[in-house]
Amino acid sequence: MSKDGGPDWNGLLKWSLAHGDGTNPPRALSEEDRKWFMEAMQENTLDVVKRMKEITQVMKTPEDVLQSQGITPENIEEMLDELQEHVESIDMANDLHSIGGLDPLLGYLKNSHAGIRAKAAEVVSTIVQNNPKSQQLVMESNGLEPLLTNFTSDPNTNARTKALGAISSLIRHNQPGISAFRLGNGYAGLKEALGSDDARLQRKALNLIQYLLHNKTDRSVATELGLPKLMMHLASSDDSLVREAALGGLLELAQDKTSGAGNALPDQDKLKEILKSRIEGISTMDADDLHAAREERQLVDSLWKECYNEPSSLREKGLVVLPGEDAPQPPPPDVAGKMFEPPLRAWAAARPAPKEDSDSDSKKKDPPLLLGPGPSSNANSGS
């Protein structure tokens, strides 16, 4: 442990560098080194769990008590930032429920401060991403309900966007979650998001729609609500990422042959005009913009071919794949394999080391003050 009681990151780094010169293969660990390393990792794990328990205690404390002790909404947001870092580990994400932290975190989705609602949704998104166990725990705790409420009716656009991001992570590869999303009128929220003037909200909505379109039931719901028409409109957006997401969704619909060729896409004459306009715009791009629009170029060509059974004029102009783009990319150099012993490398993959080093302690961000000792409240005691 370091002098301030936290994990001895610098000690771990110096130890790893001392066991590799960057050129020779790593040698086997001695029993003494292995014991030191495992103890250091255990101390770090215990430290994180303790800190998560402290954060949980704060989240359980009534807002008026926190205010009386000088805790501001900004302090709470900083605390949630820290919690998000901790739960990036799937084990810590699942542990949050066992230490009693999941329900108060979900309670923050109803907080009166938009910044706290948004940050809480971010933490939820991290917890449930590619994590079936935490997805189930959040569903069992009725976490989807406040997320849907914030997504569809929060007056703050950032809070709406963060709620949609959490919903997207929660229901992916989660059939009960998708069913609950339908029943909760989530598609009406997606339709409204596509019609908003916020590009970030549009992009998140389009990305979730594209995922949902893999399912026949959801394709039918999307078509009935007129989402393909909105996607066609957004294929001409000024935002390149919105265009790409819209084109990707349209391609997903065009590739659906279960209901008859082309039936999932309305007004293909209008679509042809949109694609012609995009081809014209792409054709006038300079070299840098062409490289940046690589995905859009390929989507336009694929969609044209799917709908009209012929290659687009982009292919004739040689603009679908530029010279060098089809060459396989070389793998990055194996720096970690040369510098780190196998156990340390596995640990680093699970939990990236902090950016600061021994020369940048002055830049290190102090952890937010949680609760000071109160004269008559038990809420201040650590768990």
Side-chain angles (χ1 to χ4, degrees):
M1 302 291 283
S2 63
K3 294 180 181 179
D4 61 1
D8 187 8
W9 301 117
N10 289 330
L12 288 171
L13 179 60
K14 291 176 181 177
W15 177 86
S16 65
L17 294 176
H19 285 74
D21 61 6
T23 57
N24 298 322
R27 62 176 176 80
L29 288 174
S30 69
E31 193 58 37
E32 181 181 357
D33 284 342
R34 188 182 301 276
K35 181 180 179 182
W36 178 88
F37 175 75
M38 296 307 296
E39 287 177 352
M41 292 301 96
Q42 185 177 15
E43 287 176 355
N44 173 51
T45 300
L46 292 175
D47 185 81
V48 171
V49 172
K50 178 183 176 182
R51 185 61 174 165
M52 287 173 58
K53 287 181 178 180
E54 292 173 349
I55 292 173
T56 294
Q57 187 65 37
V58 176
M59 292 193 295
K60 289 180 176 180
T61 303
E63 187 174 357
D64 58 340
V65 175
L66 295 177
Q67 290 177 348
S68 70
Q69 298 184 27
I71 304 299
T72 67
E74 290 73 22
N75 294 145
I76 300 298
E77 290 179 44
E78 291 175 2
M79 181 190 73
L80 292 174
D81 270 329
E82 181 189 349
L83 179 61
Q84 185 174 6
E85 292 181 6
H86 296 324
V87 297
E88 285 176 356
S89 159
I90 192 168
D91 291 332
M92 294 302 170
N94 294 334
D95 282 347
L96 185 64
H97 177 266
S98 64
I99 65 175
L102 181 58
D103 286 339
L105 172 65
L106 296 176
Y108 271 166
L109 295 170
K110 302 176 184 179
N111 194 273
S112 59
H113 298 277
I116 293 178
R117 295 195 300 273
K119 184 56 65 175
E122 268 195 283
V123 180
V124 172
S125 181
T126 300
I127 289 171
V128 299
Q129 189 170 23
N130 301 318
N131 187 345
K133 180 178 179 179
S134 280
Q135 285 179 334
Q136 181 180 353
L137 291 172
V138 170
M139 293 295 297
E140 291 174 350
S141 298
N142 297 319
L144 180 59
E145 182 179 349
L147 287 172
L148 279 171
T149 298
N150 291 359
F151 165 47
T152 57
S153 59
D154 199 300
N156 182 273
T157 302
N158 185 49
R160 287 184 66 194
T161 304
K162 298 298 185 181
L164 177 55
I167 291 170
S168 181
S169 296
L170 177 59
I171 68 175
R172 283 177 185 266
H173 311 293
N174 175 8
Q175 194 55 50
I178 293 175
S179 299
F181 178 78
R182 293 194 205 109
L183 293 173
N185 210 22
Y187 269 96
L190 289 176
K191 182 175 183 179
E192 184 178 350
L194 294 187
S196 76
D197 57 0
D198 187 89
R200 287 191 311 142
L201 185 59
Q202 290 173 339
R203 290 198 299 266
K204 284 192 178 293
L206 286 165
N207 289 332
L208 179 55
I209 289 170
Q210 185 174 355
Y211 170 76
L212 293 171
L213 289 176
H214 288 88
N215 182 278
K216 182 178 180 180
T217 300
D218 291 286
R219 286 196 299 270
S220 299
V221 174
T223 302
E224 290 173 5
L225 287 176
L227 298 190
K229 289 184 178 180
L230 291 172
M231 292 159 66
M232 287 172 58
H233 172 71
L234 292 176
S236 299
S237 170
D238 291 334
D239 187 284
S240 61
L241 295 179
V242 170
R243 290 198 304 269
E244 290 175 6
L247 290 167
L250 292 171
L251 180 60
E252 190 71 40
L253 288 172
Q255 291 173 336
D256 173 29
K257 305 302 182 184
T258 60
S259 57
N263 286 350
L265 286 173
D267 198 351
Q268 292 208 15
D269 289 338
K270 175 66 174 177
L271 177 60
K272 180 176 280 190
E273 292 303 314
I274 291 172
L275 293 179
K276 284 182 177 179
S277 176
R278 290 311 315 142
I279 290 172
E280 181 179 347
I282 291 170
S283 300
T284 59
M285 288 181 177
D286 59 26
D288 290 340
D289 288 340
L290 279 173
H291 281 290
R294 178 180 181 179
E295 184 173 351
E296 182 180 1
R297 289 183 276 120
Q298 295 175 352
L299 284 168
V300 168
D301 180 69
S302 298
L303 188 54
W304 185 282
K305 184 176 181 180
E306 194 69 44
C307 291
Y308 311 114
N309 200 29
E310 63 180 14
S312 72
S313 57
L314 285 178
R315 190 166 295 274
E316 298 174 5
K317 299 175 182 179
L319 295 177
V320 176
V321 178
L322 300 180
E325 287 184 340
D326 55 347
Q329 298 295 316
D334 186 13
V335 176
K338 295 178 179 179
M339 297 297 294
F340 295 95
E341 298 290 344
L344 183 61
R345 187 180 183 187
W347 165 77
R351 179 181 174 82
K355 294 180 180 178
E356 55 266 11
D357 54 28
S358 58
D359 295 326
S360 59
D361 289 342
S362 60
K363 300 178 182 178
K364 198 169 184 179
K365 188 176 181 180
D366 292 332
L369 178 64
L370 297 185
L371 287 174
S376 60
S377 173
N378 293 329
N380 304 342
S381 59
S383 307

